[in-house]
Structure formats: structure tokens, C-alpha cells
């Protein structure tokens, strides 16, 4: 099943993105490069078309109207302690290597002003987001070190709980944030690192919104009312975003946007695991197994319109000032028709134009909201650093 956008609306979308490009909240290219080629960028030259292997390369980012990208410096929860920290550093090193290799295309950015400057110079601003609190190994000093290396958001958990916060896809233990988890959020506020609530349990979302002094983000999550998956955002949480000032960046992952895709994905993942493979791995063997399952069991296909349905609902609940986009490219095996890779953003913008979204509101969705949140977090941090010292709290000093 394909998706055909109105050509006239696509042209309008491209013109809008030339003025207000996408700030995408989450792309897993660094982990895909690790899995596929061990960070050998000669073997995956993303200046050339990598459609056979990846959702992301530089020509398709340009075609998609992406002006700033949060690159995920993800490591799996199976890595813990020092191993998780080291792997996170290797991921950061990969993004740095990409920026050094393609200086005419990419530029590292740490602040909203640097994002704006990169765009003005025709570069794609490259920011870092750590995906999972296991990356700091329960150490606030490690959190500060990641900030100094340029990490500007941390997702509090990935698919598994951390000792101080519950994940959306694990059994509840803390029922939100522990006392140490609250200290992590406060220290992130003091630093100016955005608190990312994708992947976390709903109670963790609520606790973080209660504790945070700065706007939060959801780097890649959609609406739970539209698709009842625990990775999505409940309406009561979306309703609290205006009071916090945060942004929910809708994701494109089919099992998070299309209810029929949930059971199909569970069965496909079981098929891949039965072959001794990790369905989250970005390897040719996993891709082959997924394609074999799909050939025997055609998958339900989401489209750009499915994602637009989520954005319509999220806008109704949270307001247009609190929405963004986080595709999760190279972090999932399948994507909606019309959004198959990073060149697809004009199709989504065209779909929203056809639904009556104004160009002013679409500019907020693609660029302005994300930049505002980054700038607001920087302002909060300036104030907090004037009155608060770096936290030296250890997890063993707290009840959790």
C-alpha cells in the first residue's frame, strides 16, 4: 500500500521547509553505523545514497527539509555501568566524526543560537541526545561530563527500568521517579540538559513534570489515546505540557501510531528472536528475517495520514505550541508509507496543509517550538547555576 501526497501541497510544503526546516528529535544513525560497519564511515559514506542500508543520508536529509537533528547516542540497556558509559562515549565520538568528515553539511551545535547559526550557514545543526539513564551509571558527575561533551537531552529510561526511574515497557518498581531520580531531573535543569520523557512510564512522566523547573520534551512519542501503546503519551500528560512549556515530538514508528501494527510487530519480533537475533539490531541478518516474516504475513501499513491523525489529536489536547517531530529513523525496521526515510517530511507537511493547518502553525511544529524549548532550558539553567551548586548526591544517599 503506497501513499500519494497532493503534488501541489508537496510543493507548498517544500517551500515552507526551506524557511522553517525540521528540527527532528530522534535519529538512531550512530547506532546503525556501529551495528553495520563498526563506525567505519568509509563503508557507509552518508554523503552518498544509502537507501539499501539506512533510512538516513545527507542527500535525503536535504530532500526532507531537515535543518537540525538530535542524533541519538543510544546504547542498549543490556549494557550497564562502565560498559554503558563507554559505549555512550563511542556514540558521541561517531557523531563528532560525522561532523568532521562532512563540515560542509553538518555542524555540531550545543545551544539554540548555534542551531540558528548553523542553519544560516547552510549546515544541518547536529545535536546529541542520550537515550536512557543507564548511560550515566547512577552518577551525576557522569551526567555533567556528558553535558560538557555536548549532550543536550537525556531520555530518562530506555525499554528497561533504571534504578531510579520506571520505563514504559518494564514492570513498575519505583512507580515513577525515586528520590535519586528527582535529583537527576533537578541536576539536568541546572545544567540545561532537556529532560526527555519518551520511553518512560506514565507515572515517571507525571513525576518529572512535577519536579522539573524547565520545559521537558518527548523526543519521539505519539498519542496513547490514538494508539494504546505504553510508549505513547496519555492525554492527562499532554494536558500538562502547556503549564510546563514542553514539547511532544510525534514519532512515526508504526506500532506506536497504528493499533493494528502492535500485535503484528510482537509476532514479527518473536519470529526474529526464534532465529537467535535481536529485533532491535540494525544488521542485514535482522532485516532479512523481518522481510521473511513480512513476506509470509503482510504487515498493516501506516501512512503519513496516520501520523497526521496523531498530530491532530495532540494539537487538540496540548496546543500547537507544544508539538514537534521525532521520526526515529534508523531506530525501527518499518515506517509509514510516505515517510519511509528522512526525505519524507514534505509528505507529512503536505498532509497537514490539506487538513487546514496554517503555515504559521506548521512553522511552530517543524522549527520554532523545538528552538524555544532549547532556549528556555538554557535560560532556566543560567538562573539555577547562579544559586545552586552541582549536586554531589549519590544514589546510596537516597531512599532509592
Amino acid at each position: 500500500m503506497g501513499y500519494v501526497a497532493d503534488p501541489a501541497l508537496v510543493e507548498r510544503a517544500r517551500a515552507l521547509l526551506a524557511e522553517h526546516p525540521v528540527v527532528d528529535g530522534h535519529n538512531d544513525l550512530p547506532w546503525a553505523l556501529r551495528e553495520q560497519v563498526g563506525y567505519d564511515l568509509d563503508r557507509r559514506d552518508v554523503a552518498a545514497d544509502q537507501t539499501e542500508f539506512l533510512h538516513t543520508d545527507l542527500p535525503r536529509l536535504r530532500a526532507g527539509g531537515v535543518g537540525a537533528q538530535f542524533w541519538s547516542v543510544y546504547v542498549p540497556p543490556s549494557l550497564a555501568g562502565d560498559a554503558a558509559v563507554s559505549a555512550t562515549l563511542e556514540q558521541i565520538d561517531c557523531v563528532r566524526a560525522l561532523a568532521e568528515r562532512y563540515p560542509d553539511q553538518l555542524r555540531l551545535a550545543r545551544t539554540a543560537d548555534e542551531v540558528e547559526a548553523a542553519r544560516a550557514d547552510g549546515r544541518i545543526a547536529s545535536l546529541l541526545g542520550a537515550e536512557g539513564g543507564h548511560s550515566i551509571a547512577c552518577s551525576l558527575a557522569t551526567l555533567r561530563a556528558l553535558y560538557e561533551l555536548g549532550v543536550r537531552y537525556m531520555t530518562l529510561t530506555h525499554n528497561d527500568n533504571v534504578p531510579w526511574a520506571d520505563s514504559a515497557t518494564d514492570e513498575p518498581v519505583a512507580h515513577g521517579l525515586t528520590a535519586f531520580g528527582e535529583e537527576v531531573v533537578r541536576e539536568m535543569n541546572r545544567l540545561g540538559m532537556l529532560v526527555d520523557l519518551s520511553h518512560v512510564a506514565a507515572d515517571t512522566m507525571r513525576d518529572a513534570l512535577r519536579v522539573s523547573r524547565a520545559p521537558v520534551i518527548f523526543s519521539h512519542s505519539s498519542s496513547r489515546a490514538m494508539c494504546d501503546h505504553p510508549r505513547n503519551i496519555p492525554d492527562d500528560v499532554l494536558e500538562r505540557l502547556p503549564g510546563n512549556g514542553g514539547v511532544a515530538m510525534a514519532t512515526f514508528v508504526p506500532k506506536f501510531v497504528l493499533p493494528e501494527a502492535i500485535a503484528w510487530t510482537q509476532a514479527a519480533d518473536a519470529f526474529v528472536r526464534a532465529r537467535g537475533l535481536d529485533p532491535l539490531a540494525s544488521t542485514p541478518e535482522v532485516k532479512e528475517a523481518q522481510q521473511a516474516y513480512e513476506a509470509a504475513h503482510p504487515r498493516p501499513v501506516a501512512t503519513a495520514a496516520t501520523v497526521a491523525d496523531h498530530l491532530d489529536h495532540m494539537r487538540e489536547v496540548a496546543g500547537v505550541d507544544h508539538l514537534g517531530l521525532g521520526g526515529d529513523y534508523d531506530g525501527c525496521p518499518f515506517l509509514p508509507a510516505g515517510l519511509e526515510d528522512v526525505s519524507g517530511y514534505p509528505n507529512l507537511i503536505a498532509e497537514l496543509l490539506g487538513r487546514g493547518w496554517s503555515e504559521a502553525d506548521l512553522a511552530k511544529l517543524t522549527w520554532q517550538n523545538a528552538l524555544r524549548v532549547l532556549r528556555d532550558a538554557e535560560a532556566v539553567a543560567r538562573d539555577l547555576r547562579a544559586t545552586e551548586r552541582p549536586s554531589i548526591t549519590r544514589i546510596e544517599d537516597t531512599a532509592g
Side-chain angles (χ1 to χ4, degrees):
M1 176 179 174
Y3 176 82
V4 180
D6 181 323
L9 292 177
V10 170
E11 285 307 305
R12 284 182 58 196
R14 293 190 191 283
L16 184 145
L17 290 169
E19 294 295 321
H20 308 284
V22 171
V23 180
D24 182 87
H26 195 87
N27 184 303
D28 279 299
L29 176 65
W31 187 257
L33 292 171
R34 178 189 179 103
E35 290 272 279
Q36 292 183 18
V37 296
Y39 301 128
D40 185 346
L41 302 184
D42 289 333
R43 294 173 58 198
R44 285 288 182 276
D45 180 5
V46 297
D49 185 350
Q50 296 295 332
T51 302
E52 182 180 354
F53 304 105
L54 298 165
H55 299 145
T56 308
D57 54 48
L58 297 176
R60 285 182 289 168
L61 284 169
R62 294 294 192 184
V66 177
Q69 180 66 67
F70 275 99
W71 301 107
S72 174
V73 291
Y74 158 80
V75 300
S78 57
L79 296 175
D82 290 347
V85 176
S86 294
T88 303
L89 297 178
E90 289 163 3
Q91 289 281 90
I92 293 170
D93 185 67
C94 175
V95 177
R96 287 173 171 266
L98 287 167
E100 289 174 6
R101 186 181 178 101
Y102 307 108
D104 58 332
Q105 298 287 332
L106 303 176
R107 182 182 296 171
L108 294 173
R110 296 171 179 242
T111 66
D113 284 349
E114 289 180 2
V115 171
E116 296 272 18
R119 183 198 164 217
D121 289 341
R123 309 299 193 270
I124 298 170
S126 293
L127 302 106
L128 302 175
E131 189 175 18
H134 57 293
S135 290
I136 64 168
C138 298
S139 164
L140 296 179
T142 301
L143 176 72
R144 288 189 284 273
L146 293 185
Y147 178 84
E148 291 300 322
L149 290 172
V151 173
R152 287 301 177 266
Y153 77 64
M154 183 173 73
T155 321
L156 299 187
T157 74
H158 189 247
N159 288 337
D160 297 350
N161 297 339
V162 293
W164 43 269
D166 281 349
S167 166
T169 47
D170 203 349
E171 292 299 316
V173 175
H175 300 283
L177 291 173
T178 68
F180 185 76
E182 294 186 5
E183 191 72 2
V184 172
V185 169
R186 285 189 288 266
E187 185 65 7
M188 291 175 72
N189 294 161
R190 193 194 67 81
L191 288 169
M193 186 186 291
L194 290 165
V195 175
D196 177 21
L197 300 179
S198 286
H199 278 288
V200 308
D203 282 343
T204 308
M205 299 176 192
R206 296 175 187 118
D207 279 355
L209 282 164
R210 172 178 53 81
V211 174
S212 182
R213 285 87 53 87
V216 304
I217 65 165
F218 292 82
S219 66
H220 58 310
S221 295
S222 292
S223 163
R224 190 155 185 179
M226 298 296 296
C227 183
D228 190 13
H229 192 289
R231 269 282 283 104
N232 284 331
I233 313 167
D235 275 2
D236 74 283
V237 174
L238 285 171
E239 288 169 355
R240 294 176 63 179
L241 275 185
N244 166 266
V247 168
M249 308 178 91
T251 195
F252 305 163
V253 181
K255 66 180 178 180
F256 302 155
V257 296
L258 186 68
E260 298 86 345
I262 296 174
W264 186 93
T265 302
Q266 291 170 341
D269 287 352
F271 177 83
V272 172
R273 290 190 188 95
R275 294 189 168 197
L277 301 169
D278 177 2
L280 293 178
S282 304
T283 63
E285 295 79 11
V286 170
K287 186 175 182 180
E288 180 182 346
Q290 290 163 337
Q291 290 171 338
Y293 183 83
E294 183 180 10
H297 308 276
R299 62 187 169 95
V301 178
T303 71
T306 314
V307 176
D309 289 343
H310 279 256
L311 285 165
D312 279 341
H313 179 79
M314 294 164 76
R315 174 181 177 155
E316 183 178 337
V317 178
V320 73
D321 293 326
H322 304 284
L323 301 183
L325 300 172
D328 203 12
Y329 286 110
D330 286 304
C332 58
F334 306 107
L335 285 151
L339 296 171
E340 292 90 351
D341 60 43
V342 295
S343 69
Y345 291 101
N347 290 332
L348 177 60
I349 301 308
E351 176 71 30
L352 295 170
L353 282 167
R355 295 178 181 213
W357 285 52
S358 70
E359 294 192 4
D361 285 348
L362 288 166
K364 293 179 180 181
L365 173 75
T366 59
W367 181 261
Q368 294 169 2
N369 291 343
L371 265 289
R372 172 184 54 76
V373 164
L374 189 58
R375 207 178 297 280
D376 287 352
E378 294 166 11
V380 170
R382 281 194 297 272
D383 290 343
L384 292 176
R385 288 189 189 212
T387 58
E388 296 183 7
R389 294 180 178 178
S391 174
I392 57 172
T393 300
R394 303 172 302 169
I395 194 167
E396 55 265 35
D397 296 331
T398 68

